[in-house]
Amino acid sequence: MKITLNNMADEFDANEITVDQLLALKNFTFKMLVVKLNGQVIRKHEFETVTIKDGDEVAVIHLISGG
Amino acid sequence: MEWIYEILKTKTVGIAGCGGLGSNCAMALARAGVGRLILADFDVVSAGNLNRQYFFLDQVGKLKAFALKENVVSVNSNVKVNAFDIRLCSNDVIEVFRDCDVIVEAFDHAKMKQMIIESVLSQMPHKYIVSGIGLAGWGENETLATYHFGKLIICGDMEREISEDLPPFGPRVAIVANMQANVVIEILLGKMTETPK
C-alpha cells in the first residue's frame, strides 16, 4: 500500500498496518509523539487498534522540549 | 497598506506560554498591530531567562504573563491584552483560547506541547495552531523551516532538544518565535502572493 507520511510518499508491503506497527517499521521510538491520520488525532491508547490503509495521509510529529 | 492594519486590528491571537518563544512572538505580533492578545503562563521571570526572553532586569520576579502584558502595551498601546497566570490543562486551553483566530504553542516541555496540540486538533479542529519545535543551540539557520500538517503548522528544526550541552540561546529562539509570528500573520491576512495590491 501507498500512503503519505509527513507529507512524503511512502510504501509498505502489507495491505493495512496499525499505528503501532507503522511506528515500529519506521523506527519512531520517541516517547512524545502526536499522530494524525487523515486529519484526525490518534491518541496513544488507540495506536494498537487504529489501522492505516492505502491512500491514507499520516503525520507523526516528534515533540521535543524547548521554548 | 491601510487594509492590512484594518484586518489585523480585528484579530485575536492566543499565546500559550510566555517564555522564549511566547514573549518574542507576542512582541512581534504587537508591533504588527494584532488587535488582541491572550497571554497564558504560570512562571515568573528569572535572571537566567534574560538571555532569550523579552523581559527586562527590573521585571525579574514578576509573573511572566503580566510582565509581557506591560511590554506589549509599551510598544503598542492599541493592543488589548488578556493575561492569565495559569498552568494550562486541556480544559483550560479550550476555555482560555476559545475566541482566538490563531493559537501560538510556545511551551517549553514536550509533554505540554503534546497536550495543547492534541487538545486543539481534537476539540477545536477548525482552529489554526502554530507550534515551535526544535530551537536549541546556535547557528544552523538553514535547518529552521516551516512544516504544514493541515491546521497544525510547525516552525523550527524539529530536532534539536535543549540539554545541558545545548541550551536555548536568544538568536535561534527569537528566529523561531518570529517565524511563528510570521506564519500567524500569513494565516490572518492570506498569502502575500494572493492578496490585492
Side-chain angles (χ1 to χ4, degrees):
Chain A
M1 66 170 183
K2 290 178 181 172
I3 67 167
T4 305
L5 176 60
N6 290 347
N7 299 327
M8 311 246 277
D10 211 330
E11 215 170 329
F12 297 90
D13 289 335
N15 285 330
E16 59 172 59
I17 53 174
T18 65
V19 174
D20 255 346
Q21 286 168 329
L22 172 79
L23 299 181
L25 284 166
K26 297 304 291 184
N27 221 359
F28 291 156
T29 55
F30 216 71
K31 264 189 297 183
M32 216 55 80
L33 298 170
V34 169
V35 176
K36 277 179 77 183
L37 172 58
N38 299 325
Q40 295 274 87
V41 174
I42 308 297
R43 305 288 180 129
K44 197 167 184 152
H45 67 266
E46 302 169 305
F47 286 2
E48 263 181 63
T49 49
V50 171
T51 55
I52 297 161
K53 300 176 185 69
D54 188 58
D56 280 351
E57 194 167 315
V58 186
V60 179
I61 295 149
H62 293 59
L63 301 177
I64 56 179
S65 289
Chain B
M1 189 75 178
E2 201 48 42
W3 67 271
I4 294 175
Y5 300 106
E6 288 301 317
I7 292 175
L8 289 179
K9 76 180 187 192
T10 67
K11 301 297 183 181
T12 298
V13 178
I15 311 277
C18 301
L21 291 175
S23 63
N24 285 293
C25 187
M27 294 303 280
L29 294 172
R31 290 184 200 277
V34 169
R36 184 166 166 233
L37 294 175
I38 296 177
L39 312 175
D41 199 295
F42 64 87
D43 205 3
V44 295
V45 179
S46 73
N49 295 151
L50 299 184
N51 75 338
R52 64 193 187 281
Q53 303 189 13
Y54 211 116
F55 299 109
F56 299 92
L57 275 172
D58 64 0
Q59 292 180 315
V60 169
K62 287 188 177 181
L63 285 161
K64 286 184 181 178
F66 299 133
L68 185 56
K69 178 178 179 173
E70 286 175 11
N71 298 343
V72 161
V73 174
S74 65
V75 298
N76 186 347
S77 58
N78 293 321
V79 184
K80 292 180 188 67
V81 185
N82 302 97
F84 295 94
D85 164 31
I86 187 172
R87 190 188 287 266
L88 290 166
C89 69
S90 185
N91 289 339
D92 299 328
V93 166
I94 309 307
E95 191 63 35
V96 169
F97 298 124
R98 186 187 302 278
D99 299 330
C100 294
D101 294 286
V102 184
I103 298 168
V104 173
E105 180 284 303
F107 287 132
D108 186 6
H109 296 292
K111 182 105 196 123
M112 291 291 282
K113 289 179 183 288
Q114 183 190 42
M115 180 278 292
I116 190 169
I117 291 171
E118 288 194 343
S119 301
V120 173
L121 292 182
S122 61
Q123 293 177 68
M124 299 192 283
H126 54 287
K127 244 186 240 307
Y128 279 97
I129 176 163
V130 182
S131 180
I133 298 181
L135 45 79
W138 58 91
E140 296 188 5
N141 284 352
E142 61 280 5
T143 63
L144 299 171
T146 304
Y147 302 88
H148 293 257
F149 303 97
K151 298 220 159 175
L152 166 65
I153 299 167
I154 295 177
C155 302
D157 63 30
M158 294 195 41
E159 202 171 306
R160 300 265 186 274
E161 185 152 39
I162 49 166
S163 67
E164 248 341 74
D165 299 324
L166 215 55
F169 275 115
R172 227 160 176 270
V173 173
I175 290 168
V176 174
N178 279 278
M179 287 172 77
Q180 289 179 282
N182 205 20
V183 168
V184 169
I185 291 169
E186 187 174 57
I187 291 166
L188 297 178
L189 293 179
K191 281 195 186 300
M192 189 159 53
T193 48
E194 291 165 7
T195 50
K197 292 273 176 337

